[in-house]
Amino acid sequence: MTNLISSFASGVLLSAALIMAIGAQNLFVLRQGLRREHVGAIVLFCGCADAVLIAAGVAGVGAFLGAMPQLTAALTFGGAAFLTCYGVKALRRMASSDAMVVGAGPDVTLRRALAAAAAFTFLNPHVYLDTVLLMGAAGSSQPAELRPIFVAGACAASFSWFAALGVGARLLEPVFARPAAWRVLDAFVGIVMLTLAASLLARGITMLS
């Protein structure tokens, strides 16, 4: 029983430590939570995607990807291009003279919202580094019979975090009732996205050199 609790807790703690870092995916979930657009679907998608990647990493896919630097480089450049486009879009929103309040602006369809969530998830090499490689290595070090428990703990932390981020964003609505707050958020999003894109581009160039 102690081993079961220890393995579950290890999965929870490692997953929480990795997923709570500010990143493109988290910022997207936060923004959709503030707009109350397809929050449940996005939270479910992000949680399920993490669960699949974590399970795959523990099952051995992490070692497979680690042996294919060309694929990693391609994902890196693709992620850099996507983050650059989204970062520029956020900065353009910041510079817009249109009033921005919660719920303002054109609605995003469920298909487009899920497509964006998929891009933030699968075009971000950091996701593979965290969920597949690091979580996979940690989970593989567990005894075979305890690996499903470790994966369950990691997945529980992931689902809990995305749910808290998407639903908890509503608590910030009084702050984001002011257009200036949206401009600050978009400026922050744009800077983070472009910074991540630059780091990915530099990493991709290093891989090919």
Side-chain angles (χ1 to χ4, degrees):
M1 185 65 179
T2 302
N3 289 337
L4 292 176
I5 296 175
S6 177
S7 294
F8 186 86
S10 295
V12 169
L13 293 175
L14 181 57
S15 179
L18 293 173
I19 202 173
M20 287 183 184
I22 294 175
Q25 187 186 45
N26 284 341
L27 289 175
F28 175 72
V29 175
L30 175 63
R31 197 172 199 283
Q32 291 302 113
L34 287 168
R35 290 178 59 86
R36 297 196 179 194
E37 283 184 338
H38 316 298
V39 178
I42 290 172
V43 167
L44 182 62
F45 176 87
C46 291
C48 288
D50 262 15
V52 170
L53 292 172
I54 291 168
V58 175
V61 175
F64 173 76
L65 289 178
M68 297 186 64
Q70 297 87 353
L71 177 59
T72 303
L75 290 171
T76 298
F77 285 120
F82 174 76
L83 291 176
T84 298
C85 292
Y86 198 89
V88 170
K89 183 179 178 181
L91 293 178
R92 285 179 175 173
R93 283 198 306 264
M94 177 203 68
S96 174
S97 60
D98 295 335
M100 298 177 65
V101 295
V102 176
D107 292 336
V108 177
T109 65
L110 176 60
R111 179 177 296 182
R112 289 187 63 185
L114 290 178
F120 280 119
T121 300
F122 298 115
L123 289 181
N124 183 2
H126 291 293
V127 170
Y128 296 96
L129 176 63
D130 291 347
T131 58
V132 179
L133 296 177
L134 296 181
M135 294 294 297
S140 298
S141 67
Q142 297 279 327
E145 66 275 10
L146 294 178
R147 289 173 190 171
I149 306 301
F150 175 88
V151 171
C155 294
S158 179
F159 275 102
S160 299
W161 170 250
F162 286 123
L165 194 61
V167 178
R170 299 177 183 180
L171 299 176
L172 298 176
E173 282 189 0
V175 176
F176 285 91
R178 295 173 295 177
W182 278 102
R183 292 194 173 93
V184 171
L185 176 63
D186 280 328
F188 179 69
V189 169
I191 291 171
V192 170
M193 299 297 178
L194 293 179
T195 301
L196 290 173
S199 68
L200 290 180
L201 183 61
R203 178 177 297 180
I205 293 173
T206 300
M207 292 177 183
L208 297 178
S209 62

